[in-house]
Amino acid sequence: METPEPRKGMPSPELSREEFIVRYLSRFNDPAFASAREALDTIAAIAWDGYIEGRKSPVTRRAGPGFADPDFDLPVDWIAAREAVEAAQARQQDPSGPLRALVINGSSRSEHTCPGEMSKSWRLAMLAEETLGAAGVETTVLDLSRLASEFGREIHPCKACFSTAAPLCHWPCSCYPNYSLGQVHDWMNDIFPMWVEAHGIFLVTPVNWYQVSSPMKLMMDRMVCADGGNPDPTLTHGKDARAAKAEELKGWSYPRHLEGRIFSVVVHGDVEGAENVRRSVSDWLRFMKLTPAGPDAEIDRYIGYWEPYATSHDALDRDKDIQAEVRIAAEELARAIKARRAGQLVTTYEGLTGPRQK
């Protein structure tokens, strides 16, 4: 098949120098910076040069052995991210190492920013962590509320490279950091190894307007590279869209980088949408070839149904049933990952390949 040319035609987002400088310096509007104005102007001029020259990854080094093109220069940030993922994979596959679970709090609410109060998702995640720990599972907590409350903690949006061609989506993601656009502090290079080293994933999210929370969705979209992503950016000469199309049309293997891990899901709402959100999250994980922990490990519930938000924590205090259900979901996850390590859990898709890839 002839490789199609990438389609073009959208308007340019390039800023003028004046627009760029105003936008760049807007982060220093605090009058305390006034005494450093001359220095800031110098820094802004340097930043403009990096922007207009497109220096996305200014520090690179030769890829070296193990890559299709060992002489291709790769960003040192991506090389470090790849090494972290490989080290996490080695820990996950070590039969003498501890069993590990990743508990994810998907709510953006915390007492450390505007809401002034912890989230119910955090409380449910803590129940899961306690139960997994009691079962002898080493547990890491990923608190996505830090996107809203911690300085320099960001997850940038997925750019949908996969939709141009699967090999253009690199594993781990190479879209960030982009220094020319100031797209730094991307948390995903820390989050990818958390997923990779885990034997089990326990997700908790509230319903936000019939969807998962915005922090959860940012993470979910960026996890696309874990499902079919290209572990060798030299194949596509970095971000060369046409080269990526050519690679895909040769026949792409769609490697499932998280295949076989086991999951539990808890979705809670106030008035609507819990069942649909739970289905969408579970479907997403199944599509990546993760395995549900058991029949009681996927929960959608309402806490304080149509009651005042002001008393929602009191409603959770009273709802002993959902607390018990969360503990059961965590216990099922612990049992499932123990059974998997003992060779007692058989996945129905092993040895079967679907006729269509995404």
Side-chain angles (χ1 to χ4, degrees):
M1 183 182 297
E2 183 178 350
T3 302
E5 291 295 328
R7 302 294 181 95
K8 310 285 186 179
M10 297 174 70
S12 171
E14 185 174 294
L15 303 178
S16 69
R17 189 180 193 283
E18 292 72 20
E19 290 172 313
F20 176 87
I21 296 297
V22 168
R23 193 173 294 185
Y24 185 86
L25 291 177
S26 66
R27 69 189 69 188
F28 304 107
N29 280 343
D30 187 331
F33 287 105
S35 61
R37 179 56 54 189
E38 185 175 341
L40 288 172
D41 288 341
T42 299
I43 291 170
I46 296 170
W48 162 255
D49 186 66
Y51 168 76
I52 203 63
E53 294 296 328
R55 291 198 294 273
K56 174 181 180 286
S57 303
V59 183
T60 63
R61 73 168 173 83
R62 181 174 173 271
F67 290 92
D69 182 357
D71 293 321
F72 188 84
D73 287 333
L74 290 174
V76 296
D77 299 289
W78 184 85
I79 292 172
R82 178 178 185 262
E83 290 172 349
V85 164
E86 289 179 337
Q89 185 72 16
R91 292 192 296 272
Q92 203 265 357
Q93 293 178 345
D94 181 1
S96 65
L99 288 168
R100 296 181 176 89
L102 175 63
V103 174
I104 301 173
N105 168 37
S107 176
S108 56
R109 183 161 67 118
S110 90
E111 73 264 34
H112 301 296
T113 185
C114 306
E117 183 176 51
M118 72 167 67
S119 67
K120 297 185 291 296
S121 295
W122 172 258
R123 292 179 58 187
L124 298 177
M126 291 301 96
L127 290 177
E129 181 194 29
E130 179 185 328
T131 303
L132 288 161
V137 178
E138 186 177 294
T139 305
T140 298
V141 176
L142 173 57
D143 179 13
L144 294 177
S145 76
R146 289 182 173 272
L147 289 176
S149 61
E150 183 179 327
F151 176 80
R153 185 64 74 192
E154 301 176 46
I155 295 178
H156 296 293
C158 177
K159 296 178 182 178
C161 298
F162 211 109
S163 294
T164 294
L168 196 61
C169 183
H170 299 150
W171 168 249
C173 178
S174 68
C175 292
Y176 304 100
N178 184 328
Y179 293 98
S180 68
L181 296 180
Q183 294 168 338
V184 295
H185 305 144
D186 188 61
W187 201 4
M188 288 306 298
N189 280 346
D190 297 320
I191 290 174
F192 291 133
M194 294 182 189
W195 278 76
V196 171
E197 76 170 359
H199 301 91
I201 308 293
F202 196 103
L203 283 153
V204 185
T205 183
V207 176
N208 288 3
W209 288 117
Y210 295 85
Q211 304 289 339
V212 297
S213 67
S214 48
M216 182 74 82
K217 190 60 170 65
L218 281 168
M219 180 191 69
M220 289 172 67
D221 285 354
R222 291 288 303 284
M223 293 299 297
V224 65
C225 60
D227 192 62
N230 172 16
D232 185 353
T234 71
L235 281 174
T236 55
H237 316 306
K239 288 292 186 177
D240 184 324
R242 194 177 191 283
K245 287 176 180 287
E247 286 295 328
E248 183 176 25
L249 294 176
K250 291 176 186 176
W252 189 246
S253 63
Y254 295 88
R256 308 279 191 171
H257 299 291
L258 296 174
E259 182 174 350
R261 287 159 181 80
I262 302 170
F263 71 86
S264 295
V265 170
V266 175
V267 175
H268 65 94
D270 304 296
V271 294
E272 291 286 356
E275 184 176 8
N276 288 341
V277 171
R278 189 265 304 160
R279 285 175 174 168
S280 70
V281 174
S282 294
D283 286 350
W284 165 62
L285 293 166
R286 284 188 175 92
F287 192 86
M288 294 198 297
K289 299 301 184 187
L290 278 74
T291 304
D296 301 306
E298 299 169 78
I299 303 172
D300 52 84
R301 295 291 183 267
Y302 293 97
I303 300 171
Y305 185 65
W306 283 104
E307 295 178 7
Y309 292 99
T311 58
S312 64
H313 274 288
D314 299 328
L316 178 53
D317 290 340
R318 294 190 301 269
D319 195 338
K320 304 300 183 183
D321 288 343
I322 190 173
Q323 295 177 41
E325 288 171 330
V326 169
R327 291 185 183 277
I328 289 170
E331 179 62 33
E332 284 199 356
L333 182 62
R335 293 182 182 184
I337 61 178
K338 290 176 182 179
R340 167 62 61 83
R341 174 168 283 187
Q344 298 171 347
L345 187 67
V346 178
T347 52
T348 57
Y349 58 81
E350 287 180 351
L352 302 174
T353 302
R356 293 183 291 184
Q357 300 288 352
K358 66 178 181 181

